[in-house]
Amino acid sequence: MAIDSPLQSRMASPTTSEKDVKALKFIEEMTRNPDSIQEKVLGEILSRNSNTEYLKRFDLNGAVDRKTFKSKVPVVMYENLKKEIQRISEGDRSPILCSHPINEFLTSSGTSSGERKLMPTIEEDIHRRQLLGSLVMPVMNLYVPGLDKGKGLYFLFVKSESKTSGGLPARPALTSYYKSDHFKTSDSENVYTSPKEAILCSDSSQSMYAQMLCGLLLRHEVLRLGVVFPSCLLRAISFLQNNWKELAQDISTGILSSKIFDPAVKNRMSKIFTKPDQELAEFLIGVCSQENWEGIITKIWPNTKYLDVIITGAMAQYIPMLEYYSGGLPIASTIYASSESYFGINLNPMCKPSEVSYTIMPNMAYFEFLPHNHDGDGALDETSLVELADVEVGKEYELVITTYAGLYRYRVGDILCVTGFYNSAPQFKFIRRENVLLSIESDKTDEADLQKAVENASRLLAEQGTRVIEYTSYAETKTIPGHYVIYWELLGRGQSNALPSDEVMAKCCLEMEESLNSVYRQSRVSDKSIGPLEIRVVKNGTFDELMDYAISRGSSINQYKVPRCVSLTPILELLDSRVVSAHFSPLLPHWSFGHQNDVIR
């Protein structure tokens, strides 16, 4: 059944701009008959790419219909395409996956070997991404009128990038967008408080300082506050806690801090920051010198109507901290996208965080859905995949996509649950990333990654005759930045069961970090968005108590397995009450451009 639509009822409102009406009508068109649009999209992808090396292998013989495509082209994962992607990255410009030239790679989360995935992209993809992004504010304006009367304070950053051996850029999707001509020539400064020069500054500390200063100078104009990942907002709060005195000094004197030395940022800030503001400086000192920072966002930016940030899946762990610092502002998760493709938008953006659902736009790519079997043996039944229009409410699926840039029946790894329909288009709640245990920001650590890291680190205990007998983990997000916590129960030699020295345990922490994938290590070293890994050693018998607790809650003793990641408060309280020592990684793990991916030089 289709949900009630505020779009249709409000499109005729005199307060709705002509531009917004056009966008809202487009959403209506896309969602009324998604199946026919999907058929057209697949036909376009197959016809234009019919001469590619990849599709020729499957003898489609020019067929562009869904039945032939699904019967001949296999469902794949990244590992199945690595050879083709490596050839493209090394400079092979023949039509391997796509008839259009691959102009860059967007980097995604790590492979099973721990390195970044490279997602092929063509020139026109940026227009598709921009099209989806342009639908967000027209929907938002229906729920929060007057947003055009002010600006958004968005903390936006570019991340490290490199080139493949064949000379193609390899970078995150948002970095690609910020460095595009489309963004550089846009009127973003009429929409955001941050100047482009600050956003494009590769030094995150200078970028943050400049963006925070601009946000403070324009504090009464700020109507919404946003980041991509919630951890970034908490980092911004922490940055303000550590730098408010210097920011107040700058505002008081009208002289820019020496912390800003990037020529482009310095020059742009000199045109924005033109005179002292003693009143604002005194206000900032009065607010920030208080011990209690609850509601600090609305104290400094009193006209803020909502936070714009992803809080679905693993990011939901940040909701309590966001509510604390914002004083309970609504949280809007507006768009669903990845490095592989952009997917859809939230048509009810002011809903509760637990109710966020995204409506997939059928013109973005060709979508299929693999029914998710919680108890299955992992075998893939390719005949079970269903079309976008045929999914069923209440069921969970893994997303499978076919893109214009050359991914065919590619398993994204996102597990989605169908919550309803808008017109004839299904709406999905993001449940989780398949197999991911730990995530602070863009990092994704699965059980195999964690097991490998524990095994490597535990070898350092061998000389003392100590071994790890059980472990579990937790993504600690109350610290800023968040960090991984690993609980170890150890068994030593002899009856004394003496614990290893703090020095040895610190080396174990570092060895675990060295063993984690490059996305994690970049977040630690370059982005500084993840804090040092922590190992908490618990008393012997703690994991027996953990099993007892699970059994008391209905688990079968015959089927019980130690969870490799925990989040329930009672379990965390039990574990923390048994901690006998805590240790942190003393140094940064190794990370460099040359180790981002084995196909990147």
Side-chain angles (χ1 to χ4, degrees):
M1 178 182 293
I3 65 169
D4 292 334
S5 166
L7 274 64
Q8 291 173 293
S9 60
R10 300 187 194 185
M11 267 193 284
S13 169
T15 60
T16 304
S17 70
E18 184 178 340
K19 180 181 177 182
D20 282 5
V21 169
K22 184 178 179 180
L24 298 173
K25 285 183 176 179
F26 179 79
I27 293 172
E28 290 294 314
E29 292 170 5
M30 288 295 104
T31 56
R32 289 208 177 279
N33 194 354
D35 194 53
S36 65
I37 296 172
Q38 282 281 276
E39 186 174 31
K40 178 183 176 182
V41 166
L42 180 62
E44 289 176 351
I45 292 172
L46 295 180
S47 61
R48 67 155 62 174
N49 294 322
S50 60
N51 289 323
T52 58
E53 178 184 316
Y54 185 80
L55 285 181
K56 281 182 176 179
R57 295 175 192 167
F58 307 112
D59 298 322
L60 293 177
N61 297 319
V64 296
D65 63 285
R66 286 185 277 196
K67 183 178 179 181
T68 303
F69 174 68
K70 295 172 78 168
S71 66
K72 293 192 173 186
V73 179
V75 176
V76 297
M77 302 178 74
Y78 186 78
E79 285 72 15
N80 303 115
L81 302 176
K82 283 187 72 173
K83 290 182 179 179
E84 288 80 5
I85 288 174
Q86 181 158 345
R87 285 172 54 197
I88 298 169
S89 73
E90 291 173 347
D92 189 334
R93 296 296 181 260
S94 63
I96 299 172
L97 294 174
C98 181
S99 61
H100 285 47
I102 303 300
N103 68 317
E104 70 175 328
F105 288 105
L106 300 184
T107 54
S108 186
S109 54
T111 66
S112 58
S113 61
E115 302 302 337
R116 286 189 183 275
K117 298 175 184 175
L118 297 179
M119 295 300 161
T121 305
I122 56 179
E123 187 66 38
E124 67 183 53
D125 281 343
I126 193 169
H127 301 296
R128 263 184 288 275
R129 297 196 293 268
Q130 170 57 23
L131 173 60
L132 189 68
S134 71
L135 303 178
V136 171
M137 288 312 297
V139 174
M140 204 75 214
N141 289 334
L142 297 179
Y143 292 87
V144 188
L147 291 175
D148 59 331
K149 307 301 182 186
K151 296 186 177 184
L153 169 52
Y154 279 63
F155 294 101
L156 307 173
F157 303 91
V158 294
K159 291 198 172 187
S160 301
E161 61 176 288
S162 59
K163 287 185 179 292
T164 68
S165 59
L168 292 174
R171 52 197 177 188
L174 287 174
T175 296
S176 172
Y177 174 67
Y178 299 145
K179 292 195 173 184
S180 70
D181 290 338
H182 185 277
F183 177 75
K184 291 177 180 178
T185 58
S186 69
D187 62 346
S188 65
E189 289 177 37
N190 291 326
V191 180
Y192 303 122
T193 58
S194 298
K196 294 171 188 173
E197 292 82 358
I199 294 170
L200 291 169
C201 179
S202 59
D203 184 327
S204 61
S205 295
Q206 291 187 69
S207 177
M208 179 73 85
Y209 196 99
Q211 293 190 61
M212 183 66 75
L213 182 56
C214 290
L216 293 170
L217 293 172
L218 300 173
R219 74 184 193 95
H220 288 296
E221 294 184 40
V222 172
L223 300 183
R224 52 198 173 103
L225 202 151
V227 292
V228 179
F229 296 108
S231 59
C232 182
L233 182 53
L234 299 185
R235 284 169 58 205
I237 298 295
S238 177
F239 184 89
L240 183 59
Q241 288 176 321
N242 294 327
N243 292 276
W244 64 264
K245 291 181 181 178
E246 190 161 358
L247 288 160
Q249 176 71 12
D250 289 6
I251 294 168
S252 175
T253 61
I255 300 173
L256 189 63
S257 168
S258 59
K259 287 184 176 180
I260 302 297
F261 52 84
D262 180 278
V265 179
K266 193 172 182 179
N267 180 58
R268 186 71 184 91
M269 291 299 293
S270 69
K271 297 175 182 177
I272 298 172
F273 192 47
T274 57
K275 59 182 180 180
D277 189 335
Q278 190 62 38
E279 183 180 349
L280 175 58
E282 290 176 1
F283 166 79
L284 188 63
I285 292 169
V287 172
C288 294
S289 60
Q290 296 178 15
E291 186 174 336
N292 183 4
W293 274 47
E294 184 175 1
I296 191 68
I297 289 174
T298 45
K299 289 176 183 176
I300 295 178
W301 297 282
N303 298 319
T304 307
K305 299 180 184 295
Y306 67 93
L307 303 180
D308 186 351
V309 58
I310 298 170
I311 41 79
T312 53
M315 297 300 107
Q317 61 195 326
Y318 291 98
I319 292 172
M321 295 296 288
L322 296 178
E323 291 177 337
Y324 175 82
Y325 284 119
S326 73
L329 282 174
I331 304 173
S333 285
T334 57
I335 197 165
Y336 174 34
S338 75
S339 299
E340 292 90 342
S341 176
Y342 277 31
F343 305 126
I345 59 174
N346 183 357
L347 296 181
N348 184 20
M350 299 303 280
C351 65
K352 296 178 181 178
S354 61
E355 298 174 355
V356 171
S357 292
Y358 300 101
T359 304
I360 287 184
M361 292 291 111
N363 60 319
M364 290 291 108
Y366 175 62
F367 301 102
E368 296 176 83
F369 297 86
L370 176 64
H372 184 63
N373 185 357
H374 292 275
D375 303 314
D377 59 3
L380 173 63
D381 178 8
E382 295 194 6
T383 64
S384 67
L385 273 71
V386 299
E387 301 288 339
L388 175 65
D390 297 331
V391 295
E392 298 179 39
V393 173
K395 290 191 175 181
E396 291 185 5
Y397 301 88
E398 180 183 345
L399 181 60
V400 178
I401 62 170
T402 297
T403 70
Y404 286 89
L407 298 177
Y408 305 96
R409 309 197 81 191
Y410 178 86
R411 295 176 66 176
V412 175
D414 289 358
I415 305 301
L416 311 175
C417 180
V418 185
T419 58
F421 285 79
Y422 180 85
N423 291 327
S424 298
Q427 299 184 300
F428 297 89
K429 179 178 182 179
F430 180 89
I431 303 299
R432 66 185 176 280
R433 187 77 169 177
E434 182 75 312
N435 299 323
V436 171
L437 289 183
L438 295 169
S439 179
I440 298 294
E441 193 187 51
S442 57
D443 56 298
K444 298 177 180 69
T445 297
D446 62 22
E447 187 167 343
D449 291 335
L450 185 61
Q451 176 68 28
K452 180 185 69 174
V454 170
E455 289 175 353
N456 290 345
S458 62
R459 293 191 185 104
L460 300 177
L461 305 177
E463 292 182 3
Q464 294 184 326
T466 302
R467 60 191 178 94
V468 179
I469 56 175
E470 271 303 355
Y471 72 91
T472 191
S473 63
Y474 169 60
E476 173 59 82
T477 57
K478 292 181 181 179
T479 60
I480 302 175
H483 68 286
Y484 289 8
V485 175
I486 314 298
Y487 295 93
W488 276 7
E489 185 172 327
L490 303 178
L491 182 64
R493 181 186 294 129
Q495 296 182 347
S496 65
N497 201 30
L499 293 175
S501 67
D502 184 64
E503 180 182 1
V504 171
M505 291 301 300
K507 288 180 179 178
C508 289
C509 293
L510 181 58
E511 181 60 32
M512 283 200 68
E513 292 200 299
E514 293 283 10
S515 302
L516 294 173
N517 64 43
S518 65
V519 183
Y520 173 90
R521 286 182 280 115
Q522 179 179 344
S523 296
R524 276 279 284 126
V525 178
S526 177
D527 304 336
K528 297 179 175 59
S529 57
I530 299 179
L533 181 142
E534 178 184 5
I535 294 177
R536 297 177 186 174
V537 179
V538 297
K539 293 179 181 178
N540 287 94
T542 297
F543 280 83
D544 288 339
E545 294 183 60
L546 194 62
M547 181 177 69
D548 292 340
Y549 174 83
I551 293 170
S552 73
R553 305 286 293 180
S555 294
S556 166
I557 190 170
N558 293 320
Q559 296 179 314
Y560 175 78
K561 294 188 296 184
V562 174
R564 292 310 179 201
C565 182
V566 295
S567 59
L568 291 177
T569 299
I571 294 177
L572 289 169
E573 289 177 345
L574 188 157
L575 288 167
D576 285 333
S577 69
R578 304 296 190 270
V579 172
V580 294
S581 64
H583 314 270
F584 290 88
S585 182
L587 301 170
L588 290 170
H590 179 264
W591 178 82
S592 67
F593 286 124
H595 287 74
Q596 280 194 73
N597 194 290
D598 56 4
V599 300
I600 298 178
R601 68 170 181 228

